[in-house]
Amino acid sequence: MVRTPHGAVRGRYEHGIAVFRGIPYAAPPVGPRRFRPPEAPEPWAGVRDAAAFGPTAPKPPYSGAFALYLSDPAVPGDDCLNLNVWTPEPGPGARLPVLVWLHGGALTRGSSAVPVYDGRTFARDGVVCVSVNYRLGVEGYGLFPDAPANPGLRDQLAALRWVHQAIAAFGGDPDRITLCGQSAGAISAGVLLAAPQTQGLIRRAVLQSGPPEVSERDRVRRMVRRMAARLKIPATAEAFAAVDRDLLLRTQAEVGRLSSPVLGGPAFGIVVDGDLVPGDPLRALTEGGAARDVRLLMGWTRDEYRLWLVPGGLVERVDRLGPVALAGAMARCHAGADVARGYRALHPEAGTAEIVGQMVTDHLLRIPLHRLADARPGGCHLYEFAWPSRRPGLGACHALDLGFVFDSGAVPESTRLAGEGAPQELADAMHGAWVRFAATGDPGWRSWDASHPVRIFGDGDGDGDGVAYTAHGPRDAQLALWPAAATLPRPAPDPDIRAPGAELASAVRRLRRSVGARRR
């Protein structure tokens, strides 16, 4: 039994690890709290059972193609603002390092109940692990004239404050908190790093396949407006709150089905709100001095794009579209023809889908993460995950690294993406690096400097043992193709001004129509 700020909870010992699941850190976001910032939960009397995962945030299921690869359990209930704690030594006095996990899922899917995110292995190795649920989709990131922006991000801040206040009772050290996330979780972690309200709460941070970024307000607003048009209601929080939740989720899935990191389109995202997100977070971290004392571990997978393109059969379609697809990617990435020609020269055997995928990955992930590392020499460690899945066509795709970071390759949900027979020695190497970083700030390889050291996991090449080795500037030739202007963060447009770039939107629409026509 452990006492939290709002009441006592009773967990369970599993494999020698104390586990507490479903602890509320905020009140249920229902009724008048819907679409509003989180509020503290009501204190409870007695001892609350914390044996099972709490309710997950409302979300649509993955489409059939993606569900073959990704697990996303749903737990019904309103009390979805909850978290889980794995600890080897509950009780004050242990002062162990703490890792707080923010799941990915494009801010529309995912939860802390995904079996791949089992925190037991971190606790086994001396790190208190906390995983967090937060609001998703239109309820977490819809942009309305009558409600504050970014309630899902505000949920994460509330959870982080809860951890800072309560984790000592679970054996954790509130002064050694590592905020860690993947994909949308990494984007969230990066934005929180730059937020004035988190100063002093985060000691270290891990950004896996996601840079600090904000979405254009118009892009998010278009998502809300399209949902409103289908529902035949005003695009207000009051009107959306009156819609049946299942209908709302179905409408959200329908409107967002053609949006992807490669094709673009309207989507939910974190926006500048003048409060929690006062400006561009990448600029704040690279030029404004935000979180200068926070050490960073950042990286990507070698073939991020394959999870975006393979499940729906888009690799073959993009290859057939050829120049049309490449033109769409150039517009999407604000890149000229010389950039595309440079990728062709560096990868002469690659098909169009690989060229497009690598260009978009560089634009969205590698360029901003390199910029962040360049601005903080000595304070960052970079990695690339290169082991290819045993599932056909996936390569070293987005999210494949998670089963290795959590050392959870034995669970069936990990094999959906990795296939059978994932190497345990690779999990030992990656998981061990994350444990060392959470404990000491040093994952075990050279920090970023002018030689651009990058730890490569699972390549089998280089001067290492095939599990991990350090390469210097492995992406430099690719990233040098981009003009300096392409690496600068773009300010979010004024809420009352339509975002510029009509030629970009037109090119992306043409690509999406071409893909849709071929799909039909």
Side-chain angles (χ1 to χ4, degrees):
M1 188 186 74
V2 170
R3 187 164 297 278
T4 78
H6 305 106
V9 293
R10 178 177 290 112
R12 301 288 188 277
Y13 278 101
E14 299 174 5
H15 308 285
I17 300 299
V19 187
F20 302 80
R21 297 183 175 93
I23 305 173
Y25 65 85
V30 295
R33 300 190 186 98
R34 205 168 170 200
F35 297 100
R36 310 302 298 180
E39 299 177 10
E42 290 290 331
W44 58 87
V47 180
R48 184 184 181 112
D49 186 69
F53 286 115
T56 53
K59 57 188 175 178
Y62 281 115
S63 67
F66 282 91
L68 293 174
Y69 300 104
L70 301 173
S71 169
D72 195 14
V75 181
D78 292 329
D79 204 357
C80 63
L81 301 186
N82 59 70
L83 51 76
N84 318 295
V85 181
W86 288 263
T87 176
E89 196 172 339
R95 308 290 288 187
L96 296 170
V98 181
L99 185 143
V100 178
W101 173 250
L102 302 178
H103 67 81
L107 299 178
T108 58
R109 294 175 174 85
S111 78
S112 65
V114 174
V116 178
Y117 310 150
D118 190 340
R120 177 178 60 86
T121 54
F122 279 101
R124 175 198 69 194
D125 295 329
V127 176
V128 177
C129 184
V130 181
S131 61
V132 177
N133 281 337
Y134 54 93
R135 277 175 284 182
L136 303 169
V138 72
E139 296 199 29
Y141 298 92
L143 191 55
F144 299 99
D146 56 337
N150 303 317
L153 187 71
R154 296 173 192 275
D155 294 343
Q156 296 168 1
L157 174 61
L160 191 58
R161 286 172 168 165
W162 185 98
V163 171
H164 198 264
Q165 183 180 6
I167 204 64
F170 293 85
D173 185 347
D175 295 324
R176 283 200 292 166
I177 293 174
T178 297
L179 184 61
C180 182
Q182 185 266 347
S183 193
I187 293 171
S188 302
V191 174
L192 287 172
L193 271 181
Q197 293 89 333
T198 66
Q199 303 312 299
L201 298 180
I202 305 168
R203 181 76 170 272
R204 294 180 262 276
V206 183
L207 309 184
Q208 298 178 221
S209 301
E213 68 175 17
V214 287
S215 295
E216 294 179 350
R217 294 176 68 96
D218 188 63
R219 186 180 186 218
V220 179
R221 190 180 287 112
R222 277 185 287 137
M223 187 76 169
V224 173
R225 286 173 177 166
R226 291 185 182 186
M227 290 183 64
R230 282 177 176 258
L231 293 166
K232 296 180 173 57
I233 60 173
T236 64
E238 181 182 13
F240 271 63
V243 176
D244 174 77
R245 182 167 271 162
D246 288 339
L247 175 59
L248 201 62
L249 292 175
R250 289 197 302 272
T251 305
Q252 176 183 302
E254 290 168 3
V255 170
R257 72 187 186 280
L258 290 180
S259 182
S260 78
V262 175
L263 299 180
F268 293 113
I270 300 165
V271 298
V272 171
D273 57 23
D275 173 27
L276 183 56
V277 191
D280 184 276
L282 183 59
R283 191 181 295 277
L285 292 168
T286 56
E287 302 174 16
R292 295 300 300 180
D293 58 342
V294 177
R295 296 190 66 85
L296 302 177
L297 172 58
M298 309 184 294
W300 51 80
T301 71
R302 179 164 293 181
D303 307 308
E304 298 271 5
Y305 71 95
R306 287 191 166 271
L307 186 63
W308 308 329
L309 295 182
V310 168
L314 284 177
V315 168
E316 295 79 8
R317 295 187 179 98
V318 170
D319 279 339
R320 288 197 298 268
L321 286 170
V324 174
L326 198 56
M330 289 160 55
R332 172 102 174 86
C333 300
H334 306 274
D338 53 336
V339 175
R341 283 194 295 269
Y343 276 78
R344 284 288 190 198
L346 289 173
H347 307 284
E349 304 301 321
T352 301
E354 182 173 350
I355 297 296
V356 166
Q358 292 296 349
M359 283 181 63
V360 172
T361 301
D362 286 347
H363 175 68
L364 295 179
L365 294 178
R366 297 185 185 119
I367 288 174
L369 292 180
H370 270 73
R371 282 197 64 241
L372 184 51
D374 285 342
R376 306 162 75 98
C380 299
H381 298 265
L382 266 64
Y383 75 91
E384 176 171 301
F385 179 82
W387 182 80
S389 169
R390 301 194 189 281
R391 300 293 300 274
L394 287 180
C397 68
H398 190 69
L400 181 59
D401 53 334
L402 291 171
F404 296 88
V405 167
F406 278 87
D407 189 12
S408 57
V411 304
E413 290 77 7
S414 283
T415 61
R416 285 192 191 183
L417 204 56
E420 300 289 344
Q424 181 60 46
E425 61 270 21
L426 180 56
D428 294 340
M430 286 200 80
H431 175 73
W434 266 239
V435 168
R436 286 192 297 273
F437 183 75
T440 69
D442 181 358
W445 65 90
R446 186 173 173 176
S447 60
W448 191 256
D449 58 22
S451 71
H452 292 185
V454 177
R455 193 69 167 171
I456 310 294
F457 287 99
D459 190 352
D461 296 329
D463 56 2
D465 58 5
V467 175
Y469 66 93
T470 299
H472 293 271
R475 296 286 173 178
D476 284 4
Q478 229 168 256
L479 301 185
L481 298 170
W482 296 80
T487 70
L488 297 175
R490 294 184 299 280
D494 184 271
D496 298 322
I497 299 176
R498 185 172 177 82
E503 71 287 349
L504 164 62
S506 176
V508 171
R509 283 196 298 269
R510 288 197 304 272
L511 173 58
R512 290 167 60 203
R513 283 198 297 268
S514 298
V515 172
R518 289 175 180 269
R519 182 179 295 168
R520 290 192 294 271

